[in-house]
Amino acid sequence: MTRVWKWNRPVTVREVLEDLQKERSIAYTTVMTVLDNLHQKGWVRRESEGRAYRYEAVSTRAAYAAALMNEAWSQSDNAAAALVAFFGMMSEEQRQALQDAMRIVQLPQTPEAEGDNAGTPVDENPASRDEPGGR
């Protein structure tokens, strides 16, 4: 999938093979089998081009990662505890990316939160401004 996402366009088995062979020896049939398996699992779609197929990712790498995280989180019997554990594993860079994502999404406010501050984004972690290298 990494190779298919990398090009962000439909690719042939031959293109993937030639790219992989820059790093290691691999057989054409191996690449063909993997792409066929990805197609059967619904991760790529393919269109016939002459005697070959062109394979294209069904979703972006970001969407795939998000789906994996959502699936893992939904398996938990305690969603809050799972999130706390997950956040505890994050690097500072990952925590910053999470804060940035939360600002982009700007979750809808609850009726109790409406009033003087309605429409004003809330900093989820005001203490972060006091940290070295903070904003």
Side-chain angles (χ1 to χ4, degrees), residues 16-41:
V16 175
L17 173 71
E18 289 172 358
D19 192 43
L20 287 169
Q21 284 181 334
K22 293 174 186 175
E23 299 170 14
R24 61 189 166 108
S25 178
I26 188 166
Y28 181 93
T29 53
T30 301
V31 177
M32 184 175 63
T33 299
V34 169
L35 285 170
D36 185 59
N37 288 342
L38 291 171
H39 176 256
Q40 289 179 21
K41 291 180 180 184

Side-chain angles (χ1 to χ4, degrees), residues 66-79:
L68 284 177
M69 288 187 282
N70 187 55
E71 182 181 338
W73 185 41
S74 68
Q75 299 293 321
S76 174
D77 58 352
N78 185 336

Side-chain angles (χ1 to χ4, degrees), residues 69 73 79-99 102 124:
M69 288 187 282
W73 185 41
L83 285 173
V84 169
F86 179 64
F87 296 156
M89 294 177 195
M90 291 178 146
S91 68
E92 183 56 37
E93 183 178 295
Q94 290 168 324
R95 282 192 285 276
Q96 184 61 51
L98 176 63
Q99 288 181 344
M102 292 296 293
E124 291 82 16

